[in-house]
Amino acid sequence: MRFPKAIEKAEQILTRFGGEAYIVGGCVRDALLDRPCHDYDLTTNLPPEHVIEAFTGYTVIPTGLRHGTVTVHIDGLPIDITTYRIDGTYTDGRHPVHVRFSTSLEDDLRRRDFTMNAVCYSTVRGFVDPFGGVDDIRAGIIRCIGDPLERFSEDALRILRAIRFAAQLGFSVEPATERAMYETADGLARISAERILSELSGALTAPYADAAFTAFHKLFKTVLLGCAAQPVRPLDSLPADKAVRFAAVLKNGASDSLAQLKSDRRTVEDVHFLHAYSCFSGGRIELKKLLAAQGERRTRLLLGYLGTNTSVLDDVLANKECFSLRMLAVNGRDIAALGVAPQRIGSILHALLDDVMEGRAANEKNVLLQRAAEKT
């Protein structure tokens, strides 16, 4: 197991201060899977105030002191360090009312969601894995720690996290855990729209999104209004773009369901656009008109959604073929110089653009001025 030097340094500092220190959670799981790690977590028996004292001289941010977490920056790397804890009662289906710090590593691991996220590693002591997480990781299994009904009743967001992990890692969900996901699905009504959207976005843009959507379609329908029976195309064959993937799993015209989940406006509008142009099958001329109306970003988005090769688009752009008013060889001043009334200049320019895109006129100033004179 190899981790950044900053992680080993943090572990050594905590140990020298008289504490225990273990790398824990997703970064251990991802290291075992040889996946890149982006967030690093350590767990320790030291209370938060002692952790802060241990890292005197470093940038320390009291990220979540109430829950025992501080963030330490070492060599530019932020590391979350959390004191062993036991969660109290969950009354809102999402957060414990209180937490109690513990001196037992196993107490801390027992409160976590899935076995694969409860594996600890120490560069000195090696693995601590009381719930068989390493075996589950190697077998590609998502399994709750303890009673899955209890885990999902505590925090219903874990249901969507299980789906996201399945989509990201290509893992299967252990049968008892899967049954509990459905039996506790009503708890999803208590989860905030923002958190639901975040988990759905992560799942739908993941490498194994198609299998996850098929396996957990009923749960997707629970939290995503307008969810289609199946995607318009296999999700894994589409670009891993949020708007493209949502458009693929939503019924035509159901983009408003994203607004209800408090999605950003651009994604909602992009999904609406993709649905509106879902029958687009134009050739070179139609593609240039689409570029003129929607721009390159949306044009590429649509071609990706439709599974259309971008070679024609790339050729149009590489050859700098005219598809917008600013690319015309004439402008409004040129047309005005012909004595055209100001209110007619725009319509003539657009007519000239159509002539150029459709091949009736070359994009040359003299040619276009002559054609404009004929239109006055």
Side-chain angles (χ1 to χ4, degrees):
M1 299 283 285
R2 297 180 63 84
F3 291 96
K5 290 293 183 183
I7 300 296
E8 295 182 23
K9 187 182 294 186
E11 184 183 355
Q12 291 166 3
I13 290 171
L14 290 168
T15 302
R16 284 201 301 267
F17 204 78
E20 298 174 1
Y22 291 92
I23 310 164
V24 67
C27 58
V28 177
R29 179 198 67 231
D30 289 341
L32 283 166
L33 292 169
D34 199 25
R35 287 166 50 90
C37 302
H38 303 291
D39 300 308
Y40 293 92
D41 295 274
L42 291 179
T43 188
T44 180
N45 60 334
L46 295 176
E49 60 271 20
H50 289 181
V51 173
I52 293 172
E53 185 180 352
F55 288 94
T56 300
Y58 291 90
T59 299
V60 180
I61 302 170
T63 314
L65 280 181
R66 179 169 170 264
H67 295 99
T69 300
V70 299
T71 301
V72 178
H73 288 254
I74 300 179
D75 300 335
L77 182 70
I79 305 167
D80 286 341
I81 302 175
T82 303
T83 303
Y84 302 159
R85 73 187 208 199
I86 300 171
D87 290 343
T89 304
Y90 289 72
T91 58
D92 64 353
R94 180 71 186 95
H95 304 98
V97 174
H98 64 274
V99 300
R100 178 163 53 88
F101 297 143
S102 171
T103 58
S104 166
L105 174 59
E106 188 164 331
D107 281 346
D108 185 80
L109 298 180
R110 186 178 290 107
R111 69 176 178 81
R112 296 172 184 265
D113 50 8
F114 307 114
T115 60
M116 65 181 184
N117 295 331
V119 180
C120 282
Y121 182 77
S122 162
T123 57
V124 175
R125 302 178 182 88
F127 286 104
V128 176
D129 179 25
F131 306 108
V134 172
D135 287 342
D136 282 345
I137 290 169
R138 289 172 176 161
I141 293 173
I142 298 170
R143 184 195 312 272
C144 276
I145 296 171
D147 181 356
L149 286 172
E150 184 178 343
R151 294 284 82 76
F152 293 131
S153 296
E154 290 171 344
D155 181 0
L157 187 67
R158 289 168 175 166
I159 297 170
L160 300 183
R161 279 170 57 83
I163 296 173
R164 174 171 58 82
F165 284 132
Q168 290 175 334
L169 304 175
F171 282 16
S172 60
V173 178
E174 177 265 335
T177 298
E178 183 173 354
R179 285 194 300 273
M181 290 167 67
Y182 287 96
E183 291 176 26
T184 57
D186 56 349
L188 290 168
R190 305 171 72 182
I191 303 300
S192 71
E194 294 90 343
R195 295 308 299 267
I196 290 174
L197 180 67
S198 176
E199 294 296 337
L200 290 180
S201 300
L204 288 175
T205 56
Y208 304 95
D210 202 67
F213 182 80
T214 300
F216 299 105
H217 178 254
K218 290 182 179 179
L219 289 171
F220 273 93
K221 286 185 68 175
T222 298
V223 292
L224 186 61
L225 297 179
C227 185
Q230 60 183 29
V232 292
R233 286 167 196 82
L235 294 175
D236 301 352
S237 70
L238 298 174
D241 177 273
K242 182 167 60 172
V244 169
R245 297 287 179 93
F246 271 112
V249 302
L250 285 170
K251 296 175 184 176
N252 207 327
S255 57
D256 286 348
S257 64
L258 288 178
Q260 294 176 20
L261 288 177
K262 301 186 179 179
S263 172
D264 60 285
R265 183 175 177 180
R266 186 167 94 156
T267 299
V268 174
E269 292 176 348
D270 282 346
V271 171
H272 179 76
F273 158 72
L274 292 172
H275 283 168
Y277 282 80
S278 60
C279 294
F280 178 82
S281 58
R284 198 178 196 91
I285 293 172
E286 289 72 19
L287 186 64
K288 286 193 280 188
K289 289 184 177 181
L290 182 64
L291 276 168
Q294 299 292 340
E296 181 183 348
R297 184 188 72 83
R298 274 197 169 169
T299 299
R300 289 194 180 279
L301 209 63
L302 179 63
L303 295 182
Y305 174 66
L306 297 175
T308 303
N309 191 290
T310 64
S311 58
V312 175
L313 172 63
D314 295 335
D315 193 49
V316 166
L317 295 173
N319 293 327
K320 298 183 179 179
E321 296 181 29
C322 181
F323 60 82
S324 68
L325 290 178
R326 63 182 176 79
M327 299 175 76
L328 275 177
V330 296
N331 56 34
R333 290 188 298 274
D334 298 323
I335 304 303
L338 297 176
V340 176
Q343 62 268 27
R344 292 203 60 218
I345 291 175
S347 63
I348 289 178
L349 283 172
H350 280 96
L352 292 175
L353 178 61
D354 284 343
D355 288 342
V356 170
M357 288 194 296
E358 294 176 12
R360 293 189 293 271
N363 190 24
E364 298 173 3
K365 187 169 185 176
N366 290 337
V367 172
L368 295 180
L369 287 176
Q370 180 179 346
R371 200 159 185 89
E374 295 170 357
K375 298 178 185 293
T376 60

